[in-house]
Amino acid sequence: MVNQTVPSAGPGPAASAGAVSETVAERSRLWELARGVLDGNWEHDHTVPSRTLYPHQWSWDSAFIAIGWAHLRPDRTWSELTSLFRAQWRDGRVPHIVFNPAVSGGAYFPGPGFWSSDTVEGAPPVATSGLVQPPVHALAAWHAYRRMPSEQGLAALRRLYPHLVAQQRYLANCRDVGGAGLASIVHPWESGLDNSPAWDAPMSAVPAEAAVMRAYRRRDTVHADPAHRPTDLDYARYVTIVTAYRAGGYRDDGLAGRHPFLVECPLFNAAMGASEVALAGIAEVIGADPGPHRERAVRITEALVTRLYDPDTGTFHPRDLRTGRLTPARTVLGLTPLILPDLPARQVQAVLAEARSARFGLAARMDRPLPSHDRTATDFEPLRYWRGPSWLNITWLVRRGLLVHGHDRLAAGLRSSMIELVAAAGCHEYFHPDTGAGLGSSAFSWTAALLLDVLAD
């Protein structure tokens, strides 16, 4: 474990004058480790998540990565986000993958040929997927600017603002399938938590067989242990869902009558609400009207509490629009609405109780890292992707929520946990939720980026 102190807020590795036990040498080592990962994954105008498993640009990865670059190369923060939004579709969606034409089409499955975005009206000239990911981009842009305010950053916010607004408008206008003010995801990949137990119930209704995957070559299991990745049956269902969405030209009208997977996700909608708060901040500094953004943030928060909070469990759950029911799994998704500043005190306290329970183990001094799924559940899997392992991006979001609501000691516990994980195992994609061992890709960009951000606190 790494001894803890509060480092300076500046971009360099020097410890603060009040530092007592986190050594300058250890902090410098971690800073340089993270810098090396980001520099190594930089690709002319964006950062790949990793050089092995993820050789293209991913949407919410770029948002988190932009936060890290603010501490090293603020120009790359704005290049990261600008390059992503250059691939924004005409309807406002920001695709979850932007394919690098210099990378072989077979380097990642499903590749650009599978998505066929070039056949869709309104898609950008570059090949992309047709799905989206949690809209954390305005949140990231605002956070990065506040970390390192500059004229360059202000100009970038002015350029990005209409694109961020269009992203939010797309989700509010085209994805409110339930009609209650929340956006629906049309695929588990859109949640960012691909194979979370939260999707087991709605996924079980998607007709598919594992044998479907014989027609494809998965690349993820070449670079990672298959026992740690989604199963072939999971992938068969993923393919089935994408195929259905692609067959409709990635249109969102009439989804309720034809699409096999429609879910309102707590994280996705919390990110949408928090991004409206961030857009209000951006609007103020660029001379736009922040009022509509604040109003939308309040409405999203109210809808999220009404639709996704379960008073019986005291936490938030996804709602399966096919059945109208909340999904039963208690996952880390339920903690993420803490990022909403207007979340009512009753829900804040309930979520804190959930987070501090044996299911997640939040404490001022963490014994184990924050898991992605209830570690007391019978289907908890400490090695398989989002079914148990700990991820720094989710930990960062929960920590941010704790700070928003004034729970600084608990936030400090998560900060220590994040630093200790990387100090012991390196900048891995994710970590064993009990031992802290590194899992997945070994030089993962958002891990490095968010490490830099917490080191700078």
Side-chain angles (χ1 to χ4, degrees), residues 72-92:
L72 300 174
R73 292 277 305 271
D75 59 313
R76 289 188 175 179
T77 290
W78 309 117
S79 177
E80 188 80 45
L81 293 170
T82 299
S83 66
L84 177 67
F85 278 85
R86 201 177 292 131
Q88 188 170 32
W89 288 35
R90 190 185 305 157
D91 61 12

Side-chain angles (χ1 to χ4, degrees), residues 75-425:
D75 59 313
R76 289 188 175 179
T77 290
W78 309 117
S79 177
E80 188 80 45
L81 293 170
T82 299
S83 66
L84 177 67
F85 278 85
R86 201 177 292 131
Q88 188 170 32
W89 288 35
R90 190 185 305 157
D91 61 12
R93 84 181 73 195
V94 179
H96 95 293
I97 306 174
V98 181
F99 291 102
N100 183 348
V103 174
S104 165
Y108 178 81
F109 174 79
F114 180 86
W115 296 97
S116 300
S117 65
D118 58 331
T119 67
V120 182
E121 184 179 357
V126 65
T128 76
S129 72
L131 302 177
V132 298
Q133 279 187 320
V136 292
H137 308 82
L139 179 66
W142 182 231
H143 184 77
Y145 175 77
R146 294 178 72 191
R147 282 297 206 188
M148 294 293 163
S150 67
E151 287 302 317
Q152 179 193 33
L154 187 60
L157 289 181
R158 287 195 181 99
R159 292 194 305 271
L160 286 167
Y161 177 75
H163 298 282
L164 293 164
V165 170
Q167 177 189 33
Q168 295 283 105
R169 186 185 302 120
Y170 164 75
L171 297 173
N173 293 346
C174 301
R175 288 295 192 87
D176 185 8
V177 181
L182 297 182
S184 298
I185 60 172
V186 302
H187 196 292
W189 288 340
E190 293 199 319
S191 73
L193 280 66
D194 300 3
N195 67 325
S196 170
W199 320 128
D200 286 358
M203 280 279 280
S204 67
V206 177
E209 295 182 3
V212 167
M213 295 309 297
R214 293 174 188 165
Y216 304 100
R217 186 184 179 195
R218 288 179 61 177
R219 300 296 302 179
D220 60 322
T221 51
V222 173
H223 299 290
D225 187 334
H228 299 177
R229 298 290 299 175
T231 66
D232 273 356
L233 180 57
D234 289 330
Y235 256 82
R237 287 173 170 150
Y238 298 154
V239 167
T240 297
I241 297 168
V242 171
T243 301
Y245 197 36
R246 185 186 62 197
Y250 301 114
R251 291 180 295 103
D252 296 308
D253 56 300
L255 283 173
R258 60 181 167 83
H259 196 67
F261 182 96
L262 291 168
V263 176
E264 293 171 347
C265 169
L267 166 58
F268 196 98
N269 284 282
M272 193 174 163
S275 282
E276 289 292 350
V277 175
L279 283 168
I282 294 171
E284 284 190 312
V285 300
I286 67 170
D289 183 3
H293 297 299
R294 295 191 180 113
E295 292 167 8
R296 284 191 288 271
V298 170
R299 290 199 301 270
I300 291 168
T301 301
E302 291 172 348
L304 193 133
V305 170
T306 300
R307 296 277 290 175
L308 306 185
Y309 178 71
D310 180 2
D312 292 334
T313 60
T315 189
F316 290 84
H317 298 259
R319 181 175 293 276
D320 181 357
L321 294 185
R322 287 278 166 224
T323 65
R325 294 193 292 269
L326 298 178
T327 65
R330 297 172 80 142
T331 72
V332 76
L333 290 167
L335 311 185
T336 58
L338 287 172
I339 64 175
L340 294 165
D342 293 320
L343 192 68
R346 178 184 175 190
Q347 277 71 38
V348 170
Q349 292 306 314
V351 170
L352 285 176
E354 173 81 349
R356 299 182 75 167
S357 73
R359 285 181 283 276
F360 296 98
L362 176 66
R365 180 62 182 172
M366 302 283 289
D367 293 329
R368 294 175 289 181
L370 187 74
S372 51
H373 182 40
D374 172 7
R375 59 165 40 100
T376 70
T378 57
D379 58 352
F380 175 75
E381 296 185 69
L383 295 174
R384 194 180 295 279
Y385 215 38
W386 288 100
R387 304 186 71 87
S390 181
W391 296 71
L392 254 65
N393 68 322
I394 298 297
T395 304
W396 185 92
L397 285 171
V398 174
R399 175 178 180 267
R400 181 178 176 86
L402 293 170
L403 291 171
V404 164
H405 293 284
H407 295 280
D408 294 2
R409 290 185 67 250
L410 292 174
L414 287 185
R415 177 185 182 273
S416 296
S417 178
M418 293 171 72
I419 294 171
E420 290 163 359
L421 281 174
V422 180

